[in-house]
Amino acid sequence: MHNDIPTLRRIFKACPTIAVVGLSAQWHRPSYFATKYMQEHGFKVVPVNPRYDEILGERCYATLEDIPFAVDMVDVFRKPEDVLPIAQSAIAIGAKCLWQQLGVANAEANQLALQAGLFSVTNRCVKIEYARLFGGLNWVGVNTKIISSHRPH
């Protein structure tokens, strides 16, 4: 696993294009605001979700294999049991990093990625880690810039 600070810094510097598997178009979902944050900080984001045509102003692709250009990082917002085929696709398209978001840790996918020479990060939020390492982490860590006591419906 590559969850140590020096390696995380190298990953962010080596991975300017991030394919986000499971990205939601709903603004209140963690995948949406984490991806929006990365986009606002200079990363090229590539939504991967067969349900949508476009998210955050970017064309959405049904699968990683459908993306017609190189992707550096595959950021996974899916259940742990869904990650292994995503890891296989990340390897097949030549990604440099498989990133499993908070709450996502598939040991088999992690091992496969490492054996294929990819960086592999598990159970970490790309937005929180980037903000922590490069500045911008506020006291809650996941600021959506919206203050409300009600959950959206």
Side-chain angles (χ1 to χ4, degrees), residues 18-90:
I18 305 172
V20 186
V21 179
L23 177 59
S24 173
Q26 297 177 13
W27 67 267
H28 62 278
R29 302 290 301 176
S31 64
Y32 184 92
F33 62 80
T35 302
K36 186 174 194 284
Y37 179 89
M38 297 308 286
Q39 186 181 51
E40 290 171 349
H41 284 81
F43 290 84
K44 165 95 173 131
V45 298
V46 185
V48 180
N49 189 327
R51 300 160 114 190
Y52 305 104
D53 293 326
E54 183 179 292
I55 303 174
L56 290 168
E58 299 290 340
R59 178 177 173 201
C60 202
Y61 296 91
T63 68
L64 288 170
E65 290 83 358
D66 292 336
I67 302 170
F69 49 84
V71 167
D72 301 306
M73 178 191 297
V74 174
D75 185 14
V76 184
F77 280 93
R78 297 292 308 270
K79 295 178 287 190
E81 56 269 22
D82 295 340
V83 180
L84 185 57
I86 296 167
Q88 292 165 337
S89 291

Side-chain angles (χ1 to χ4, degrees), residues 63-143:
T63 68
L64 288 170
E65 290 83 358
D66 292 336
I67 302 170
F69 49 84
V71 167
D72 301 306
M73 178 191 297
V74 174
D75 185 14
V76 184
F77 280 93
R78 297 292 308 270
K79 295 178 287 190
E81 56 269 22
D82 295 340
V83 180
L84 185 57
I86 296 167
Q88 292 165 337
S89 291
I91 293 164
I93 66 166
K96 299 174 188 171
C97 178
L98 176 68
W99 189 296
Q100 298 179 59
Q101 277 290 337
L102 279 175
V104 183
N106 182 307
E108 192 176 356
N110 177 61
Q111 193 60 38
L112 182 67
L114 291 172
Q115 287 173 346
L118 276 69
F119 289 109
S120 185
V121 179
T122 62
N123 198 29
R124 297 279 179 118
C125 175
V126 70
K127 180 243 185 260
I128 292 171
E129 294 304 313
Y130 183 82
R132 179 172 72 97
L133 297 174
F134 296 98
L137 186 64
N138 64 47
W139 67 275
V140 287
V142 291
N143 184 15

